Amino acid sequence: MRTHDKHVLMCTGSRCSEYNTEAEAMFQQLGQKIDARPQLNVKRTRSNCFAVCKNGPILVVYPEGVWYSCTDETVLERIVSEHLEQGVEVTEHVFHRLGTGDV
């Protein structure tokens, strides 16, 4: 297992949303984007279902506990570059925060 400071989980299950057909492809893109940034200590994990079907695929970043609606590659790139690299939430795509609930 790679050394990591953050753990990113992405739903690739069949019930996520109309975007589900692209969920596995986006999961692969997530891996490519992380691997292209060797300075990131991020582990990614595929999930079958988070039981929250809100404009998925859903992407969750821990330890922050930030849940994103990751609807396309542009949003995915922003999450990787802004949240994972710079530590800044992409607030317009956050729908839930650990300890706060839906926002």
Side-chain angles (χ1 to χ4, degrees):
M1 183 183 321
R2 78 190 318 163
T3 302
H4 61 282
D5 300 317
K6 295 188 185 304
H7 191 174
V8 177
L9 299 99
M10 180 179 268
C11 180
T12 59
S14 61
R15 298 184 336 175
C16 204
S17 76
E18 65 186 87
Y19 299 101
N20 178 60
T21 57
E22 300 171 4
E24 182 61 31
M26 287 185 67
F27 182 76
Q28 296 304 321
Q29 290 172 6
L30 174 63
Q32 293 167 1
K33 291 176 186 304
I34 291 169
D35 290 345
R37 295 163 167 91
Q39 76 279 13
L40 290 182
N41 292 321
V42 176
K43 176 171 176 41
R44 74 183 170 114
T45 301
R46 175 188 294 108
S47 174
N48 189 45
C49 187
F50 291 130
V52 181
C53 302
K54 288 189 176 188
N55 299 322
I58 303 303
L59 188 145
V60 185
V61 180
Y62 281 104
E64 295 92 332
V66 176
W67 293 54
Y68 288 103
S69 174
C70 186
T71 54
D72 61 38
E73 188 176 355
T74 302
V75 175
L76 180 63
E77 176 60 33
R78 288 193 61 203
I79 293 168
V80 172
S81 66
E82 294 175 33
H83 190 137
L84 300 181
E85 273 191 301
Q86 300 170 29
V88 177
E89 289 182 7
V90 185
T91 54
E92 62 268 29
H93 298 287
V94 172
F95 75 88
H96 181 85
R97 287 188 187 87
L98 188 66
T100 303
D102 286 0
V103 294

